[in-house]
Amino acid sequence: MKKILVPTDFSSYSDHACDYALKLAGSLKAEIKLFHAFLDPVLGSPVPMYDFGGYEKTHKEIMKNNEDQVVEEMEKLYRKLNERIEKEGIEGITMKSYQIENGFADEEILSYCKVYEPDLVIMGTKGSGGIIKDLFGSVTEKVIENAELPVLAIPETPYGGIIEKIMYATDFDESDYEALRKLMGLVEPLGLKVYVAHLCFGEMIEKDKEQMEKIKAYVQEKYAGVKSEFNIIECENILQSFDDFVEEKQIDIISLTTHKRNIFKKILNPSFAKKMLFHTKAPLLVFHAK
């Protein structure tokens, strides 16, 4: 994992995404590239009749002023991160300048991913309710749903501290193995412990045990040096049990895969949002299954 794209809108929750990017890039010896997309401030405004020339001139002036302000903000953030790297003595990070585009943020982020080809996108989410509440309708959700690469979503008020434990939530799909391969690319250099967990409704069945044993054998054979634990959690309320497990194990990052059975949609269904699954405010790492 060598390239990290960090979209920003210069807010406090984008700053948290930058913090995580610095932590990970330093350990992974990766490069960071900042990205910002701004929308035409007069997009959709009516053109005054008989005055198209004057409108066009005014529009260009507004766009130029807006773009100048964006460049100024990006330069400020870029300098700030470079100063932090130098002050804190973080080695192995390359700050790969930045990119600014004009357009809808989610569309421009996805488009630029095809150009820059990052290994990971790190984005902030807003809202005091935690990551689930404000992913709906947000730029972050749209990027997660449509990106073909891992996306790490950082809540507005993260817990901070050292990243030591990561949970991978499995629904026993073939895409798990590709996701685990990508996950291990992040886990191994960081020395994290991986918790592979499956939540089953009611009593655990024999098929669940067999599937978990297959994943366990795969991980222990391919990634013998990674600390790992495998759990099948019997539950009646998947949201509460999921949250309890995160709290009990003190999970620092939750990861899962979007696939054809789509656990992501199941967990993030708006009907469950009020239950506030992620009380721990743990970042969410999502892999996209092709």
Side-chain angles (χ1 to χ4, degrees), residues 1-16:
M1 193 168 287
K2 298 299 181 184
K3 297 164 71 175
I4 299 173
L5 183 68
V6 185
T8 177
D9 62 359
F10 313 119
S11 63
S12 60
Y13 52 90
S14 288
D15 288 344
H16 293 315

Side-chain angles (χ1 to χ4, degrees), residues 173-193:
D173 188 88
E174 284 301 314
S175 61
D176 287 332
Y177 294 93
E178 176 63 16
L180 284 167
R181 184 186 68 79
K182 293 177 181 178
L183 180 63
M184 293 305 175
L186 173 66
V187 166
E188 284 189 301
L190 297 175
L192 306 183
K193 182 173 181 178

Side-chain angles (χ1 to χ4, degrees), residues 35-97:
F35 181 91
H36 176 78
F38 69 98
L39 194 60
D40 184 336
V42 293
L43 187 67
S45 298
V47 179
M49 191 175 295
Y50 311 121
D51 191 28
F52 184 80
Y55 170 84
E56 185 178 19
K57 181 180 178 181
T58 302
H59 183 203
K60 287 181 178 179
E61 290 175 351
I62 294 173
M63 282 296 293
K64 179 65 167 59
N65 291 337
N66 193 40
E67 186 172 356
D68 289 346
Q69 184 178 355
V70 167
V71 171
E72 184 179 340
E73 288 287 343
M74 187 64 94
E75 284 282 357
K76 182 179 177 182
L77 177 59
Y78 181 71
R79 289 195 303 270
K80 176 184 173 182
L81 294 181
N82 274 297
E83 289 169 2
R84 276 193 58 187
I85 291 170
E86 183 176 352
K87 182 179 179 180
E88 297 175 19
I90 307 173
E91 298 181 354
I93 298 179
T94 302
M95 285 298 301
K96 194 71 172 179
S97 188

Side-chain angles (χ1 to χ4, degrees), residues 206-248:
E206 196 61 34
K207 187 177 179 181
D208 291 331
K209 296 179 183 178
E210 293 173 2
Q211 294 281 12
M212 185 61 83
E213 284 300 319
K214 283 177 61 178
I215 291 179
K216 182 177 179 180
Y218 170 80
V219 170
Q220 292 184 340
E221 178 185 353
K222 298 288 186 180
Y223 307 100
V226 175
K227 293 176 289 185
S228 56
E229 184 176 311
F230 303 84
N231 300 268
I232 297 177
I233 305 163
E234 299 175 5
C235 64
E236 296 298 333
N237 183 325
I238 188 171
L239 295 178
Q240 186 60 52
S241 298
F242 199 94
D243 189 47
D244 290 344
F245 183 83
V246 169
E247 291 287 347
E248 177 190 346

Side-chain angles (χ1 to χ4, degrees), residues 160-176:
I162 300 172
I163 304 171
E164 296 179 331
K165 301 175 181 179
I166 187 164
M167 169 190 177
Y168 180 75
T170 175
D171 207 21
F172 298 139
D173 188 88
E174 284 301 314
S175 61
D176 287 332

Side-chain angles (χ1 to χ4, degrees), residues 58-172:
T58 302
H59 183 203
K60 287 181 178 179
E61 290 175 351
I62 294 173
M63 282 296 293
K64 179 65 167 59
N65 291 337
N66 193 40
E67 186 172 356
D68 289 346
Q69 184 178 355
V70 167
V71 171
E72 184 179 340
E73 288 287 343
M74 187 64 94
E75 284 282 357
K76 182 179 177 182
L77 177 59
Y78 181 71
R79 289 195 303 270
K80 176 184 173 182
L81 294 181
N82 274 297
E83 289 169 2
R84 276 193 58 187
I85 291 170
E86 183 176 352
K87 182 179 179 180
E88 297 175 19
I90 307 173
E91 298 181 354
I93 298 179
T94 302
M95 285 298 301
K96 194 71 172 179
S97 188
Y98 54 80
Q99 184 71 20
I100 298 172
E101 297 290 348
N102 179 17
F104 292 100
D106 56 306
E107 294 176 2
E108 296 302 328
I109 292 167
L110 292 167
S111 178
Y112 190 66
C113 281
K114 296 177 181 177
V115 176
Y116 180 56
E117 297 183 331
D119 300 295
L120 177 67
V121 175
I122 301 181
M123 300 180 65
T125 60
K126 61 182 176 180
S128 59
I131 200 167
I132 294 300
K133 181 178 179 182
D134 283 285
L135 272 176
F136 300 108
S138 72
V139 172
T140 305
E141 185 200 9
K142 292 174 183 175
V143 172
I144 286 175
E145 287 294 324
N146 295 288
E148 295 185 358
L149 68 156
V151 179
L152 179 61
I154 310 298
E156 184 181 15
T157 53
Y159 56 87
I162 300 172
I163 304 171
E164 296 179 331
K165 301 175 181 179
I166 187 164
M167 169 190 177
Y168 180 75
T170 175
D171 207 21
F172 298 139

